[in-house]
Amino acid sequence: MQHRELGDSGVEVSEVGFGAWVVGTDWWGDRDEDDALELVEYALDRGITYFDTGDVYGHGRSEELLGEVLAERGDEMTVATKVGYDFYNNPQAGHGELPKEMHAEYLEDAVERSLERLGVDHVDYLQLHNPNVDELTDDVLELLDELREDGVADAVGLALGPSIGWLAEGDFGIEEGFDGVQYVGNVLEQDVHRHFVNTIRQSDSSTSLIPRVPHSSGLLNEQVTPDTELGEGDHRGFRPDEWYETGWEKIEQLRFLERDGERTMGQAAIQWLLSFDEVATVTPTFRSKADVDEWAAAPETPPLGVDEQDRVAELYAQNFGVDRFDGMSEEDYRTSVDGEDLRDAGLVGSAD
């Protein structure tokens, strides 16, 4: 496993990270807590050192479980968490988004509670969870600076969402020099990823990118096929049917990325993201030890060549030859500024 620096913070992260939203929750398929802990330990044994959780996952349970592993193997781990949703005073209704609370006083208290659950006195990487750009006030920025100066967080960043979009927020984080920006980006959903890459290059920012959902909710790792029936409560079921139906056709156009015995489609999806120097780590959603074995080994597979990267870009510009609606268009990209960020980027979107 190779490592990259997160911004210029000095924090090193494994090129493949572990999205701990599968720990302490059932949003990506149900599993008991012992199995979840075993999966975390297994990932560590396979060289994955970066673990990304959040206080809202399982209403703190993900942090508590990760803290159990930290207590034994913390010197092997780089841990990130997120704050910003007030689950303390609001019940969870299905997969609905909870009310956010981005005031400095609340955030400071939330960080303290997260540290208690993790069983640590500082966190390697602290992120604000899905903030709108107007919530990134001077008071909030001052708090983040103080937390970093006081050693409570070694690095700070933004995790954007829910869903895909939020260009104003990502651009703000990059231009303000946050250590990292996390977002949805993959071979089938390139617009936001490429936009943030360009923002970094144009502003000469040191900010690192952390793409999540690199397999496009199970398509690029071929765990969602025409025969798959997603279980009740599985978060991937929120994708429209058309996305999967056209996605299977798009994958056939990407078969050239596979190398028999050397690189699977799932590994190629990760390598495509790692081909951008601006990316520090990629956080797939692990569901099994087989996933860990395959994707932790992705950085050791042949990197994508220039010809392969150019062909991917060309296929994306042509919608992979699919001439019908795939169920998700630019109009579905999320924005907190009435679509102004999307229009400025040459995309069209609806208001949040």
Side-chain angles (χ1 to χ4, degrees):
M1 179 65 70
Q2 304 297 314
H3 295 77
R4 300 185 183 187
E5 184 179 7
L6 193 59
D8 57 7
S9 66
V11 174
E12 289 196 345
V13 294
S14 51
E15 287 184 335
V16 177
F18 188 109
W21 44 84
V22 300
V23 177
T25 74
D26 61 0
W27 284 19
W28 283 78
D30 196 15
R31 62 171 52 80
D32 66 39
E33 293 183 350
D34 288 340
D35 288 342
L37 287 172
E38 186 177 350
L39 196 62
V40 170
E41 297 258 16
Y42 192 80
L44 265 173
D45 293 339
R46 295 302 181 272
I48 293 174
T49 60
Y50 175 67
F51 294 82
D52 178 7
T53 187
D55 66 353
V56 75
Y57 301 148
H59 288 196
R61 189 58 182 154
S62 178
E63 290 178 325
E64 290 172 345
L65 292 171
L66 204 59
E68 293 183 23
V69 184
L70 271 168
E72 300 294 331
R73 304 182 63 176
D75 58 340
E76 303 174 52
M77 303 170 69
T78 298
V79 174
T81 195
K82 313 177 192 73
V83 294
Y85 280 108
D86 184 7
F87 62 89
Y88 298 103
N89 300 302
N90 298 280
Q92 184 76 50
H95 289 201
E97 187 176 7
L98 289 168
K100 285 187 293 183
E101 178 56 83
M102 291 289 173
H103 293 96
E105 184 177 354
Y106 172 85
L107 293 172
E108 185 173 18
D109 180 64
V111 170
E112 291 180 4
R113 296 190 185 194
S114 284
L115 296 179
E116 290 176 2
R117 286 189 290 266
L118 289 167
V120 296
D121 59 8
H122 84 286
V123 67
D124 299 298
Y125 181 41
L126 175 67
Q127 301 161 92
L128 297 183
H129 204 170
N130 299 349
N132 289 359
V133 70
D134 62 0
E135 294 171 326
L136 299 170
T137 63
D138 290 343
D139 287 346
V140 169
L141 299 183
E142 182 178 347
L143 171 65
L144 294 178
D145 285 340
E146 290 175 356
L147 292 174
R148 187 159 40 184
E149 290 170 3
D150 293 342
V152 176
D154 295 330
V156 298
L158 305 177
L160 308 183
S163 191
I164 190 168
W166 315 105
L167 301 189
E169 288 72 18
D171 286 348
F172 180 93
I174 291 166
E175 291 161 3
E176 289 291 320
F178 279 66
D179 296 304
V181 171
Q182 181 188 145
Y183 57 95
V184 174
N186 54 67
V187 174
L188 300 183
E189 296 169 291
Q190 298 183 24
D191 290 342
V192 172
H193 168 73
R194 289 189 179 276
H195 175 83
F196 290 151
V197 167
N198 290 334
T199 301
I200 288 174
R201 293 175 180 177
Q202 292 168 6
S203 62
D204 196 28
S205 172
S206 64
T207 300
S208 290
L209 298 178
I210 304 176
R212 70 177 186 271
V213 199
H215 294 121
S216 192
S217 300
L219 281 172
L220 288 163
N221 57 338
E222 300 186 81
Q223 288 184 351
V224 176
T225 72
D227 298 323
T228 301
E229 293 185 12
L230 297 175
E232 184 178 353
D234 191 314
H235 201 59
R236 294 169 298 175
F238 284 80
R239 294 268 195 178
D241 291 342
E242 295 92 340
W243 177 253
Y244 292 110
E245 292 165 0
T246 58
W248 300 319
E249 297 179 34
K250 295 174 184 179
I251 287 172
E252 292 307 312
Q253 300 301 312
L254 291 168
R255 291 294 179 194
F256 69 93
L257 292 176
E258 296 177 314
R259 296 192 184 183
D260 186 31
E262 291 188 317
R263 188 173 66 197
T264 66
M265 182 67 73
Q267 291 171 329
I270 292 172
Q271 279 284 37
W272 180 77
L273 289 164
L274 290 175
S275 71
F276 295 86
D277 291 338
E278 294 79 8
V279 170
T281 182
V282 180
T283 54
T285 300
F286 296 102
R287 296 172 55 82
S288 68
K289 291 179 179 179
D291 291 344
V292 176
D293 287 336
E294 179 182 349
W295 303 336
E300 309 307 320
T301 64
L304 268 63
V306 174
D307 290 346
E308 290 175 310
Q309 295 175 48
D310 289 346
R311 189 172 174 188
V312 169
E314 181 180 350
L315 283 168
Y316 187 76
Q318 301 170 354
N319 197 33
F320 301 92
V322 175
D323 61 0
R324 67 185 190 281
F325 182 50
D326 62 15
M328 296 183 68
S329 68
E330 295 170 359
E331 283 75 14
D332 296 311
Y333 290 172
R334 301 294 296 277
T335 174
S336 66
V337 292
D338 200 29
E340 180 180 353
D341 52 348
L342 301 171
R343 290 190 292 273
D344 287 346
L347 303 173
V348 178
S350 60
D352 175 38

